[in-house]
């Protein structure tokens, strides 16, 4: 039985605002929408994980479903930020001057429980590092505040996945 009852930090999200349009910051938000390390990747992967876990571990499947809803909220926030900063908020990122559309090929799809959980954990840790870097480099207080707030949710997801790995490895001994 998991000890977590919430999948999002209780702190409220800051207002969805930007100081002014900024193409560089918009590009960073597009990366959070449609790069391989993005909210779209997390949503799609957690939907998959929830689906394949449902017949074998309903509790873990429900956790992935609930976390995916938090990630959808992040996807929505980053989409609005990208638009407010001046970008077309499609599921894409910029590679040089060329758009690169998001693809489900971005994800790894392990089917064994512990590798599946470790894959999810790594994705959350990578997102935290990316968002911290962005929050440190972006000189728009509104955008940085939102990034830092989203990091709080991702940190909860890290702890949940660590607990799930611990439970899974202990039960397989």
């Amino acid at each position: 039985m998991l000890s977590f009852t919430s999948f999002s930090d209780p702190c409220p999200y800051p207002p969805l605002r930007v100081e002014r349009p900024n193409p560089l910051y918009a590009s960073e938000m597009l990366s959070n929408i449609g790069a391989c390390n993005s909210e779209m990747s997390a949503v799609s992967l957690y939907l998959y994980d929830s689906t394949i876990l449902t017949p074998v571990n309903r509790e873990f499947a429900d956790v992935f479903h609930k976390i995916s809803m938090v990630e959808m909220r992040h996807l929505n926030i980053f989409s609005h930020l990208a638009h407010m900063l001046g970008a077309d908020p499609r599921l894409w990122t910029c590679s040089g001057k060329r758009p690169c559309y998001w693809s489900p090929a971005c994800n790894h799809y392990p089917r064994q429980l512990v590798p599946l959980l470790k894959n999810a954990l790594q994705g959350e840790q990578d997102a935290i590092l990316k968002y911290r870097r962005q929050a440190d480099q972006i000189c728009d207080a509104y955008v940085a505040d939102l990034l830092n707030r989203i990091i709080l949710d991702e940190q909860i997801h890290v702890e949940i996945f660590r607990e799930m790995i611990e439970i899974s490895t202990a039960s397989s001994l």
Side-chain angles (χ1 to χ4, degrees):
M1 186 78 155
L2 289 169
S3 65
F4 286 87
T5 57
S6 179
F7 302 91
S8 182
D9 191 88
C11 293
Y13 286 85
L16 192 55
R17 297 176 57 185
V18 300
E19 291 176 3
R20 68 187 65 76
N22 182 310
L24 181 61
Y25 299 166
S27 180
E28 289 291 325
M29 296 307 106
L30 288 177
S31 171
N32 297 345
I33 296 168
C36 282
N37 176 5
S38 71
E39 296 296 330
M40 187 63 213
S41 292
V43 169
S44 65
L45 181 64
Y46 297 165
L47 172 65
Y48 172 82
D49 292 343
S50 176
T51 301
I52 67 165
L53 287 176
T54 296
V56 295
N57 190 322
R58 184 63 187 201
E59 181 183 18
F60 282 14
D62 288 345
V63 168
F64 274 103
H65 176 74
K66 290 173 182 169
I67 292 175
S68 75
M69 291 190 293
V70 176
E71 303 296 359
M72 281 188 265
R73 184 172 191 181
H74 299 166
L75 180 62
N76 186 53
I77 290 168
F78 287 134
S79 295
H80 282 281
L81 285 175
H83 190 249
M84 293 165 76
L85 289 163
D88 184 356
R90 298 180 191 189
L91 291 178
W92 62 1
T93 189
C94 297
S95 180
K97 292 189 183 245
R98 298 183 58 153
C100 181
Y101 282 93
W102 179 83
S103 166
C106 286
N107 288 334
H108 300 285
Y109 299 95
R111 294 186 54 87
Q112 298 296 325
L113 182 58
V114 173
L116 180 149
L117 293 168
K118 288 182 177 179
N119 184 53
L121 173 63
Q122 187 63 56
E124 295 290 337
Q125 291 170 327
D126 291 346
I128 290 168
L129 291 174
K130 179 180 184 178
Y131 300 159
R132 277 192 182 136
R133 177 190 54 77
Q134 289 174 342
D136 289 345
Q137 293 176 349
I138 289 175
C139 297
D140 181 318
Y142 299 118
V143 175
D145 286 348
L146 280 159
L147 283 160
N148 285 317
R149 172 57 188 82
I150 289 170
I151 289 168
L152 297 177
D153 290 340
E154 307 297 9
Q155 289 172 327
I156 287 174
H157 302 164
V158 164
E159 293 309 312
I160 291 169
F161 290 139
R162 284 183 176 152
E163 183 175 333
M164 292 168 74
I165 290 168
E166 186 177 309
I167 290 168
S168 298
T169 54
S171 66
S172 67
L173 295 179

